[in-house]
Amino acid sequence: MKRIMNVRLYCCLLFAGFLFQSCSKEDIAQESQLKISNATTVTTADMVGSWDITKMMADVEVDLNSTPGGSKNLLDETDCFNTMSITFDANGTFVSNNASMSFESGDGDDFSCLSDRMDSGTWNIVDNKLVLNISINGSDYTHEKAIDLGSDTFAFDVTKIESDQYVNDPGNTRASEIRILMLEYTRAK
């Protein structure tokens, strides 16, 4: 009986040791970074201010700048999107600087950065979702995005259909495999 108890104790200690070894310090640090939107309701006060794009993560790695290797972060591959920003005013209006790129500039994999487009409209938060009402070229659009809000960041996903507004891709280009993007903005200081 005593031997069975010793074997069980040994197995429990071995299992506990395995658990502690399998979690790196980086894993623990990432888990400890609590997102506000997962802990509480996002309010309009959380969003008021100016925000600059800091990540544009694709679901696949791409090589847009023809250097060895690629990246899932499109901002590492091109400066086309570096000027993207949005300002949410407390009165419920916003102004955003949106950038785009086109692969129709010549050779199939060559692309060009198109001029920035300034958009404006109204915004609010409904059920932790950012709702933007915007008029583009005389047409009215409503974009509703579930957001992840951090202490100084917010992020949302953009689907392939939505990204067609920003990337004019005729197919068979370096960006054609992208199906979803995650855009992250950081509060401007």
Side-chain angles (χ1 to χ4, degrees), residues 8 11 16 48-49 57 74 84 94-95 101 123 127-128 165 172 176 178 185:
R8 285 184 182 169
C11 288
V48 171
M57 302 298 292
L74 298 185
M84 288 178 61
F94 77 92
V95 175
M101 64 188 296
W123 72 279
D127 297 329
N128 288 345
Q165 298 175 51
N172 296 322
S176 294
I178 298 172
Y185 287 80

Side-chain angles (χ1 to χ4, degrees), residues 98-129:
N98 292 301
S100 59
M101 64 188 296
S102 175
F103 283 90
E104 294 183 347
S105 62
D107 193 349
D109 264 353
D110 289 340
F111 65 90
S112 61
C113 301
L114 302 178
S115 61
D116 293 355
R117 185 185 78 214
M118 298 301 289
D119 295 320
S120 61
T122 61
W123 72 279
N124 63 349
I125 299 293
V126 177
D127 297 329
N128 288 345
K129 292 180 184 171

